[in-house]
Amino acid sequence: MTRSTHKIPNLAKAKWLNEPRLQAVLAVLNTGGGETRVVGGAVRNALLRVPISDVDLATTLEPRDVVQLAKGAGFGVHPSGIEHGTVTVVNRAAAFEVTTLRRDVETNGRHARVIFTKSFKEDALRRDFTINALSCNAKGEVFDYTNGYADILKHNIRFVGKPATRITEDYLRILRFFRFHSVYATGGVDKDALAACTRLRKGLQKISVERIRQELIKLLVAPRAAETLKVMAKSGILRLILPYTEEWRVLKRLPSDAVLRLFVLAQKPDELKDLLRLSREEGARIATLVNAPAITPALREKERRAMLYVLGPEQWRSAVQLSFARSRAKVGDRAWAKLLRLAEQWQAPQFPLNGDDLLRKGHVAGPFIGEFLQRAEDYWIAGNFVANKGDLLAYIEGMNS
Ligand code: ATP
Ligand code: MG
């Protein structure tokens, strides 16, 4: 049944697989004539020996039977994806997406019309890459219908079937190919796959921004994101996603932070929020990066503290990381590391003056109060935060006389 020429390890001893809440769900969904296995990312990562995020399940049971069995066992059931065959089963706060095995009957480059099947092999053949097409049962036996284990050993991202065929079924797979390459591959980009992605790249224009953003963000946080993006740029694929800079050197020197990397990659960072429909928080971070001051170890202690106070520790960190990446300093440079650490020990000093203090001194309520406070705060920051309330009141009086 399995075609792999390599002996695939059994996952029976894997800690994640023996997790009692998962085993309980598997036990229930392996009754009633059904068979349920773990599929996709969890099996891939277990065989790659890297941490597992979600555990997704595939089953021969139809969704309504999944619902019935899960409810009968007292599990939580969320049928929100039931029309595509997915039911979320929750056992004591552990959630598992359970998807009925499917076969594509019609594709249009974006969506597939699917029918249910009882065949794990058919389900594997509709998955995108061989490393994603493995499944394993509750006992840890691994099933490999596409020779995916060989590709796992080689850290090779290979399409299931002919790349061009699989891409024209769903053009998002172009971007997924680079995403998985970026995260898991160790060698160069597979030539055949790259040629097909390049030739068919225009199809990406059919894909919704939401799907693109999701893959792009995952690609960006990968250790080899810069290298992968460069290949995508050279093959004319990246420009279909966003107008980009060629700051590869800077990009390579940034930490694994999607927003920071996106900021450096984009030619027009202030258009990113709309272009990729970023979240409010992501958009806000981009906006602060646009205005981030350049930071260098040449800054005086006093200037550092002043900037850190104004920026806050998170923005300070990002501004330091960005400035470091753009500098010529060596990785591990101690002066830069010290700048970064400043945010860790930082306890923001408390500005000792407020509006009530000014009212009590006979100032009239109104917009001047805010302005005085701001100028007093600037004075206090410039003076290394040593001025106390009395000093600041005196400063304001002096300002007015
Ligand atoms: P991650 O840990 O990054 O979430 P994952 O393997 O779980 O990785 P998902 O994008 O969550 O990746 O997809 C889950 C599984 O569904 C994949 O492993 C793959 O088998 C299949 N899959 C997802 N999207 C597609 C697609 N567009 N075409 C074919 N198969 C897909
Ligand atoms: Mg996933």
Side-chain angles (χ1 to χ4, degrees):
M1 171 187 27
T2 59
R3 289 203 284 123
S4 186
T5 45
H6 300 267
K7 184 153 168 39
I8 306 178
N10 184 295
L11 298 174
K13 295 221 171 73
K15 203 166 160 209
W16 63 272
L17 183 61
N18 290 300
E19 209 283 325
R21 292 172 298 181
L22 169 60
Q23 281 293 329
V25 170
L26 284 171
V28 168
L29 297 181
N30 278 301
T31 59
E35 180 179 2
T36 301
R37 298 181 190 165
V38 179
V39 284
V43 184
R44 174 196 67 220
N45 287 14
L47 293 171
L48 282 168
R49 299 176 185 280
V50 298
I52 281 146
S53 48
D54 316 316
V55 176
D56 296 323
L57 308 181
T59 184
T60 61
L61 296 164
E62 299 227 349
R64 57 166 194 271
D65 300 324
V66 173
V67 171
Q68 203 187 10
L69 285 169
K71 278 191 175 156
F75 300 142
V77 176
H78 301 275
S80 53
I82 202 160
E83 68 280 14
H84 344 102
T86 303
V87 175
T88 304
V89 175
V90 184
N91 182 8
R92 290 180 284 128
F96 305 98
E97 280 193 358
V98 184
T99 305
T100 301
L101 296 173
R102 293 172 298 186
R103 162 164 35 114
D104 293 342
V105 286
E106 208 182 293
T107 56
N108 64 5
R110 279 173 294 176
H111 305 289
R113 204 161 65 75
V114 294
I115 54 169
F116 296 143
T117 162
K118 304 261 182 235
S119 161
F120 278 95
K121 181 173 177 181
E122 278 182 339
D123 190 76
L125 294 180
R126 71 178 284 283
R127 290 176 186 271
D128 43 13
F129 308 109
T130 59
I131 62 166
N132 287 347
L134 295 138
S135 57
C136 95
N137 63 18
K139 290 185 295 190
E141 277 174 87
V142 175
F143 301 85
D144 181 6
Y145 307 100
T146 66
N147 229 350
Y149 187 61
D151 290 315
I152 290 218
L153 291 177
K154 287 185 279 188
H155 290 256
N156 182 33
I157 316 303
R158 187 165 59 84
F159 279 94
V160 174
K162 276 181 63 183
T165 313
R166 303 314 311 283
I167 291 168
T168 47
E169 288 169 1
D170 178 1
Y171 289 96
L172 184 70
R173 289 175 189 158
I174 294 175
L175 195 45
R176 285 177 63 83
F177 172 73
F178 291 104
R179 191 255 277 196
F180 284 102
H181 177 81
S182 177
V183 179
Y184 297 108
T186 46
V189 180
D190 181 89
K191 292 257 169 1
D192 289 348
L194 178 60
C197 289
T198 304
R199 185 160 54 82
L200 297 167
R201 64 188 179 278
K202 291 264 161 62
L204 271 174
Q205 286 161 338
K206 292 188 191 215
I207 301 299
S208 73
V209 174
E210 284 73 16
R211 293 181 80 203
I212 290 199
R213 181 200 46 227
Q214 202 181 6
E215 295 300 330
L216 183 63
I217 299 273
K218 288 184 173 177
L219 191 163
L220 279 164
V221 295
R224 299 205 310 158
E227 285 89 334
T228 306
L229 289 163
K230 196 169 170 183
V231 174
M232 292 172 69
K234 276 201 177 143
S235 49
I237 295 168
L238 190 56
R239 70 180 163 76
L240 299 171
I241 297 172
L242 82 169
Y244 57 89
T245 64
E246 303 250 8
E247 304 253 29
W248 311 120
R249 188 193 74 93
V250 179
L251 212 52
K252 266 186 211 157
R253 288 163 60 87
L254 287 172
S256 171
D257 175 333
V259 174
L260 210 49
R261 289 183 176 181
L262 199 52
F263 172 78
V264 166
L265 180 67
Q267 242 178 51
K268 300 176 185 149
D270 36 14
E271 290 176 12
L272 275 174
K273 181 163 190 285
D274 292 335
L275 188 71
L276 294 176
R277 307 231 176 97
L278 299 181
S279 70
R280 188 191 297 265
E281 293 78 27
E282 290 164 338
R285 268 198 78 203
I286 297 273
T288 64
L289 289 170
V290 171
N291 298 310
I295 292 173
T296 103
L299 287 175
R300 304 278 170 87
E301 184 72 25
K302 199 169 119 178
E303 295 167 313
R304 297 178 188 191
R305 291 183 177 282
M307 278 177 147
L308 179 50
Y309 177 80
V310 174
L311 292 172
E314 263 163 47
Q315 286 183 44
W316 165 267
R317 272 185 81 82
S318 301
V320 172
Q321 287 165 335
L322 195 58
S323 300
F324 167 77
R326 287 177 169 154
S327 79
R328 294 274 151 193
K330 287 214 174 73
V331 175
D333 182 293
R334 293 173 72 179
W336 281 95
K338 198 173 157 206
L339 284 177
L340 209 55
R341 276 202 311 272
L342 204 58
E344 286 167 20
Q345 308 135 4
W346 176 251
Q347 282 279 337
Q350 190 69 41
F351 182 51
L353 196 67
N354 60 37
D356 287 341
D357 297 322
L358 294 182
L359 294 176
R360 271 198 294 275
K361 280 281 166 187
H363 288 275
V364 187
F368 281 126
I369 297 279
E371 202 172 302
F372 287 153
L373 284 173
Q374 214 157 61
R375 289 175 67 175
E377 192 180 24
D378 289 343
Y379 170 76
W380 173 72
I381 296 168
N384 210 10
F385 316 103
V386 290
N388 62 24
K389 191 185 299 219
D391 301 331
L392 294 170
L393 285 169
Y395 170 74
I396 290 174
E397 292 318 311
M399 221 165 61
N400 286 325
S401 58

